[in-house]
Amino acid sequence: MRQATKTQSVKRLDPVWNRIREEAEDIARREPVLGGFIFSSVLNHSSFEEALIHRLAQRLGNADIGADLVVQALSDALEAEPEIGFAARADIIATYERDPACHRYIDPLLYFKGYQSIQTHRMAHRLWHLGRKDFAYYLQSRSSIIASFDIHPAARIGKGIMVDHGHDIVIGETCVIEDNVSMMQGVTLGGTGKESGDRHPKIRHGVLIGAGAKI
């Protein structure tokens, strides 16, 4: 009885993580060949944040910087700014609600490079402000190579962000993107030509930026 009560409390406290776990269990039942991937990505983790860090690290690690070192850096970022986890959940909900191709909460976490790139930026942004600018640049570089998604670590991005396709996107250093913004592929939020200072666009709450837009 006590265990059942505890499980219900967890579901109420973190419904996004609970739903992701339920969807992961369903995938493991229907596609046994993906069982190892699903367990290592979701079911072996005790929290959404832990699963998110693992998934990003598996994408971002390489021969130069192993996934274990990326895990440690991302953990440092989350420890310094726990709100990253809440923003990442809001981005999943936004993607599910606004992207017609997203049918489950688990899809962005496992498969959508736009979502993964935004979360990588959130970690890089915090590391940037912790003074770890080289590691932040490393994350930016890897995200650009893997997903063609290039965000300067200093750019400020709100929560509830949906990036559809997430390909060929450039976001400059002094850019600000507020909450609940949707963005399609091929978007550039570029500089004004000024050599220094505030030189990138400000995208306000609730804006939709169409495919190929150059601002």
Side-chain angles (χ1 to χ4, degrees), residues 29-171:
R29 284 193 300 269
R30 291 186 296 102
E31 289 281 4
V33 71
L34 295 178
F37 167 61
I38 294 301
F39 272 86
S40 67
S41 298
V42 177
L43 296 176
N44 286 344
H45 301 291
S46 60
S47 69
F48 171 78
E49 284 82 357
E50 186 179 310
L52 177 63
I53 285 173
H54 174 88
R55 184 62 182 138
L56 296 179
Q58 291 303 308
R59 296 293 304 273
L60 297 167
N62 65 4
D64 296 322
I65 305 292
D68 56 337
L69 295 177
V70 178
V71 165
Q72 185 57 59
L74 301 187
S75 298
D76 292 343
L78 262 170
E79 182 178 357
E81 188 178 346
E83 292 80 7
I84 290 173
F86 297 106
R89 288 171 174 83
D91 294 346
I92 281 182
I93 295 171
T95 303
Y96 177 78
E97 290 179 347
R98 297 182 221 148
D99 184 351
C102 183
H103 305 293
R104 303 172 299 187
Y105 278 27
I106 198 172
D107 291 342
L109 176 64
L110 293 184
Y111 308 123
F112 289 10
K113 64 181 182 179
Y115 174 83
Q116 294 167 358
S117 297
I118 290 292
Q119 308 324 311
T120 298
H121 169 73
R122 295 193 189 283
M123 307 292 186
H125 183 74
R126 177 42 50 198
L127 292 174
W128 180 269
H129 287 288
L130 289 173
R132 299 180 63 181
K133 293 188 176 182
D134 284 297
F135 210 104
Y137 275 137
Y138 168 79
L139 295 178
Q140 175 194 7
S141 174
R142 287 293 293 159
S143 184
S144 179
I145 292 169
I146 294 167
S148 187
F149 201 116
D150 195 357
I151 317 177
H152 192 283
R156 291 183 287 156
I157 298 181
K159 60 184 182 297
I161 305 300
M162 189 280 289
V163 181
D164 196 5
H165 301 295
H167 188 76
D168 284 342
I169 290 176
V170 176
I171 300 175

